[in-house]
Amino acid sequence: MNRRSLLSLGAAAAASAATIHHNRPRPRDWLHTWVSMPQLTEPGNMPPAPFNADGVVLADATLRQTVHTSIAGSSVRVRFSNAFGGAVLPITGVTVALPLDGRAGASAIVPGSARVVTFSGRPGASVPVGAQVVSDPIDLDVPALTNLTVTAYLATGQASAAITSHPGSRTTSHLLRGEHLAAAELPGATPVDHWYFLSGVEVRTAGTATVVLGDSLTDGRGSTTNGNDRWPDRLKARLRHVAVLNQAAGGNRVLQDGLGPNALGRLDRDVLALGGADRLIVFEGVNDIGTAVATVDAQRQVGEDLVAAFDQIVTRAHARGIEVYGATVTPFGGNTNYDDADGLREGTRRTVNDWIRRSGRFDAVLDFDAAVRDPIGRRRLLPAYDTGDRLHLNPAGYQAIADSVPDRLFRR
């Protein structure tokens, strides 16, 4: 074959490859509208009997869960995670449907609304240990700020006492023996306020995403079960053109593992790996301060380490073109576990907040401390926002945090 023929073949191959690439959806065409931070399930948060026996979880069981969308889109994909599983996660079948009356935590779906989900053309998937699986696109228009039902069936169950979940769902899921993927109702189902295995829902859209890295104050402790009134929920109600993705877990820390991996360790998985994310809100640190010993040296160290960690988060996010907004640590004065008589932890909180406000490292500062503190006793939460434990916020407090976030940060 002569040189001209070789060049012609090369040009034809390049044109073919270019055509294939052009027709493939760009990564930013798919954007998460909902996420949950995967965690190793603690013993007290495992599925109850009879769904957990002899080292096998959810054998011959239907699991129905509802999630609250953020941004609207045409076509949908779902993600399941086996990040912390001790064995392969064998998913036999999945459907996506509309919950009855649009309610969060509903066990019933709108009759006839169930859509069969496939994975690479197959009805189920075997998710390896530490991996996740993404479904094929499902033909379904998903509005913003709506509830969506995802039902999974596991014929053999997961053969491990270590499974992946998000315990702080503040949303009711339902468990029932047998295969009920398309059933309109699940009579006799067992309710549990946890999400299992489900880690993301994506839609095809042209929008962008803001990810929140947080702890229980973002995960919504103190919010209403099935009420979707965490502060990121309240924020996304204002920002319908922007997905607000809640990557938080109760007890999470920046520097050390707690309930879930530390924020530095999970940054790549929970933030940088999400296609279309162009903003990051960092609202963490209270658990690092509160669990460090109340001595001068220990508090000085944790304060310095938090500042260095925030600096690292900014550096790593900026390398991906993501703007980072730093949120100040909210008060915990009077909390039994975190406050100390000498005010050493309060001093660390103020030192860290001063750095967040004045360092210039963040692209913007969200002063959540100022939004919810008592103007008379500044080391305490405003009583109207306090759940009573002097640390966590009620729905009014979460609304105040959401209201304090400026709209201008999300304009292009």
Side-chain angles (χ1 to χ4, degrees):
M1 187 177 290
N2 60 34
R3 176 178 171 81
R4 179 173 296 176
S5 298
L6 286 170
L7 289 173
S8 297
L9 283 174
S16 175
T19 301
I20 294 170
H21 179 74
H22 177 74
N23 290 335
R24 186 186 303 131
R26 293 177 293 110
R28 287 177 68 89
D29 286 344
W30 285 101
L31 190 73
H32 278 84
T33 188
W34 173 87
V35 296
S36 69
M37 175 189 151
Q39 296 175 245
L40 175 64
T41 309
E42 297 175 285
N45 294 321
M46 292 287 286
F51 303 100
N52 180 11
D54 301 323
V56 179
V57 177
L58 294 174
D60 186 29
T62 294
L63 166 63
R64 180 162 286 177
Q65 308 177 90
T66 57
V67 303
H68 191 57
T69 67
S70 180
I71 197 169
S74 62
S75 196
V76 64
R77 301 192 304 200
V78 295
R79 290 184 180 237
F80 290 88
S81 174
N82 194 22
F84 298 97
V88 170
L89 173 61
I91 301 172
T92 309
V94 176
T95 59
V96 172
L98 302 176
L100 189 65
D101 299 325
R103 293 184 294 111
S107 64
I109 60 173
V110 174
S113 69
R115 304 282 192 275
V116 174
V117 178
T118 58
F119 301 87
S120 300
R122 299 185 292 180
S126 294
V127 190
V129 171
Q132 64 176 323
V133 65
V134 185
S135 78
D136 299 326
I138 304 143
D139 186 17
L140 182 68
D141 285 333
V142 178
L145 308 177
T146 193
N147 292 308
L148 195 66
T149 299
V150 181
T151 305
Y153 173 63
L154 282 68
T156 60
Q158 186 168 19
S160 174
I163 68 171
T164 303
S165 70
H166 189 87
S169 63
R170 274 87 199 179
T171 307
T172 305
S173 302
H174 302 271
L175 309 175
L176 186 63
R177 284 290 194 193
E179 189 270 290
H180 308 279
L181 287 170
E185 297 184 3
L186 299 181
T190 300
V192 290
D193 289 341
H194 312 300
W195 285 311
Y196 295 108
F197 312 128
L198 189 63
S199 63
V201 175
E202 299 172 275
V203 292
R204 196 186 294 274
T205 185
T208 61
T210 296
V211 186
V212 185
L213 202 63
D215 49 40
S216 60
L217 289 162
T218 298
D219 203 27
R221 181 169 175 177
S223 64
T224 308
T225 298
N226 298 319
N228 291 316
D229 51 15
R230 314 163 189 84
W231 74 262
D233 297 322
R234 299 296 85 207
L235 178 61
K236 70 186 181 186
R238 283 177 26 218
L239 305 175
R240 296 192 175 211
H241 64 292
V242 177
V244 179
L245 305 177
N246 189 340
Q247 293 283 37
N252 197 239
R253 293 186 290 183
V254 177
L255 305 170
Q256 302 291 333
D257 290 355
L259 296 181
N262 66 82
L264 285 174
R266 65 187 182 89
L267 182 68
D268 289 277
R269 182 196 68 188
D270 292 347
V271 180
L272 305 184
L274 297 183
D278 62 0
R279 302 174 186 87
L280 167 63
I281 297 173
V282 181
F283 181 31
E284 290 220 46
V286 68
N287 292 322
D288 298 85
I289 296 169
T291 57
V293 179
T295 65
V296 172
D297 288 344
Q299 287 300 309
R300 179 173 61 248
Q301 188 67 57
V302 75
E304 292 173 355
D305 290 348
L306 276 174
V307 165
F310 291 149
D311 181 76
Q312 284 289 306
I313 289 171
V314 171
T315 297
R316 290 166 61 187
H318 280 176
R320 296 292 187 91
I322 297 174
E323 293 183 354
V324 187
Y325 305 156
T328 51
V329 181
T330 50
F332 50 80
N335 178 265
T336 302
N337 296 318
Y338 285 5
D339 199 11
D340 63 280
D342 295 326
L344 296 174
R345 294 189 179 108
E346 170 64 14
T348 304
R349 184 184 77 89
R350 293 193 183 192
T351 297
V352 170
N353 281 350
D354 285 344
W355 184 85
I356 291 171
R357 292 183 181 108
R358 297 187 175 94
S359 68
R361 283 296 283 141
F362 292 103
D363 297 286
V365 173
L366 306 178
D367 203 342
F368 292 170
D369 169 40
V372 298
R373 71 187 179 214
D374 188 333
I376 298 175
R378 299 180 63 181
R379 61 183 292 173
R380 294 176 178 264
L381 294 172
L382 191 70
Y385 297 156
D386 188 356
T387 59
D389 70 358
R390 308 297 189 264
L391 172 63
H392 294 98
L393 300 167
N394 58 27
Y398 289 132
Q399 184 69 60
I401 279 185
D403 290 344
S404 74
V405 179
D407 286 341
R408 61 177 172 77
L409 297 177
F410 304 91
R411 298 188 188 122
R412 287 303 184 199

